Amino acid sequence: MHRFPHEEQVTSVRAALRSPRRLRTEVLAGLVVALALIPEAISFSIIAGVDPRVGLFASFTMAVSIAFLGGRPAMISAATGAIALVIAPVVREYGLDYLLATVILGGIIQVVLALLGVARLMRFLPRSVMVGFVNALAILIFLAQVPHLTGVPWTVYLLVAVALAVMVLLPKLTTVVPAPLVAIVALTLFTVGAAVAVPTVGDEGALPDSLPGFVLPDVPFTVETLRIIGPYAVGMALVGLMESLMTAKLVDDITDTHSAKTRESWGQGVANVITGFFGGMGGCAMIGQTMINVKASGARTRISTFLAGVFLLILVVVLGDIVGLIPMAALVAVMIMVSVATFDWHSIQPSTLRRMPRSETVVMVTTVAVVVVTHNLAIGVVVGVLAAMVAFARRVAHLTRVVEVPTVEPDTKVYAVLGELFFASSNDLVTQFDYVGDPERVIVDLSGARVWDASSVAALDAVTTRYARKGKRVEVIGLDGHSLDRHERLAGHLAGGP
């Protein structure tokens, strides 16, 4: 992929290492992301039904691996809720070893899909689906914080408010240190120094006290094993790639840079294979943590991604006792700020909604609704794309029309077909001719139309057949290029028709 000089400068690791200011931004961003990853990884481990160490080790190996393998600088990959939901049944029914085998197979499938060019499918994502994806993501990030705000002491709400105030006001004074990091450190020092009893990171689950090691899944290498893990591996691969590619595109837009989507796809696959062999639950791009890294902290290079994984391991293994003291209120406040910053507020302004075609708004709302109900970004995107396809087909179908053309030839009627002929628009084509009243010779001029599929050829066959039943002859003229080739290959060979 062609890269412009300014993009190389923005995302270059070498340039960041030569700039103390940029390097400081990358290092501090990595630290903030690592702190935010810990409770998330523990929560996702619980969803998947595994020990917290499995999620934490996955986040470490994914972040470090993708820093070298991925195509999108500054994007964070780690254990995610979407992957946890997909693989949870494997753990519940067959155990941890089958989970690891599923993660490894899922990674291999992602590599294969990348080599087949799955990343190119991103061009078929409409803007309305992308906006719905972003807004749904923001809502999910916020909803994920609600459990940490229910049934808690009133001091939690006060701490959250203070942390939010710090993150809103501090950047107006200085951006030397990321505001989220200041909020986390300040609230931790206060709660420890004042002995305030509030939920902490340590309450979320036990942190590991050793490094991850190489693990070979203890499963039989048989067709039966493949039958068990295959469907889950495919689901994991598809969900992971979809979330990762959507996140990469989002970061591209935010940073005004381009990224190698194919490399990101196979990089995610290889990272999952590595993660499976080191006892992790697998993962993909984390949109919330990526927004913390890119939007809240200003990171732009792979340094922040790599350090997020390294800091995560150091924090949980070496400094676990200290990390366990961090109040959850601080991390909840960080994620609330991320959700607010992620939401596309412009998309729901009355002025925007008035200008936007109703079908576009319906597609966006549909995407958001499905994601929020299912808590699955992949399902929402698929439904949104299908809704956009239906809306597009309906709009284009109405643009096709048949008009009569004056002619001086005796006993001849000329029709001109205008527009795009495909399955949605060609269904009504048969009804737009006067089979009884027309003369013996009918000319159908398609120079103003294009034939896109077999349905259109079948419709033209049906028109010819109906005229033939009345003893009349039809000439189809004006086709060229692919339309002519398609018509010549299929005309008269499609069974059925009115």
Side-chain angles (χ1 to χ4, degrees), residues 26-41:
E26 299 292 321
V27 172
L28 293 177
L31 179 57
V32 174
V33 171
L35 291 169
L37 277 174
I38 294 172
E40 295 277 298

Side-chain angles (χ1 to χ4, degrees), residues 42 139 153 189 254 357 410:
I42 295 174
I139 294 171
L189 292 175
I254 291 174

Side-chain angles (χ1 to χ4, degrees), residues 390-413:
V390 172
F392 173 77
R394 289 189 62 184
R395 284 201 304 271
V396 176
H398 293 307
L399 297 178
T400 302
R401 55 199 178 93
V402 177
V403 296
E404 295 183 16
V405 179
T407 180
V408 296
E409 297 183 47
D411 297 324
T412 300
K413 184 71 166 290

Side-chain angles (χ1 to χ4, degrees), residues 22-151:
R22 167 53 58 188
L23 184 59
R24 181 182 66 244
T25 298
E26 299 292 321
V27 172
L28 293 177
L31 179 57
V32 174
V33 171
L35 291 169
L37 277 174
I38 294 172
E40 295 277 298
I42 295 174
S43 299
F44 298 148
S45 298
I46 295 172
I47 292 173
V50 296
D51 187 277
R53 287 175 294 184
V54 177
L56 290 166
F57 287 161
S59 295
F60 161 69
T61 54
M62 286 292 297
V64 171
S65 299
I66 209 67
F68 295 96
L69 300 169
R72 172 65 260 177
M75 192 164 78
I76 304 298
S77 292
T80 60
I83 298 298
L85 288 171
V86 172
I87 61 178
V90 181
V91 182
R92 189 166 54 247
E93 297 180 28
Y94 302 101
L96 179 60
D97 286 302
Y98 278 85
L99 164 65
L100 301 181
T102 301
V103 172
I104 294 169
L105 179 59
I108 294 172
I109 293 173
Q110 286 180 324
V111 173
V112 172
L113 291 174
L115 297 177
L116 293 175
V118 69
R120 288 193 291 269
L121 296 177
M122 285 297 294
R123 72 184 65 178
F124 296 107
L125 282 178
R127 180 187 178 278
S128 53
V129 174
M130 191 67 191
V131 172
F133 169 83
V134 171
N135 290 345
L137 163 68
I139 294 171
L140 286 186
I141 292 174
F142 180 81
L143 292 178
Q145 312 315 310
V146 173
H148 300 295
L149 296 173
T150 55

Side-chain angles (χ1 to χ4, degrees), residues 408-444:
V408 296
E409 297 183 47
D411 297 324
T412 300
K413 184 71 166 290
V414 180
Y415 290 97
V417 180
L418 307 174
E420 308 299 322
L421 292 176
F422 66 110
F423 63 90
S425 61
S426 60
N427 285 332
D428 296 330
L429 185 67
V430 181
T431 64
Q432 300 187 52
F433 297 86
D434 185 3
Y435 300 99
V436 176
D438 283 346
E440 292 185 1
R441 182 172 178 244
V442 175
I443 297 176
V444 179

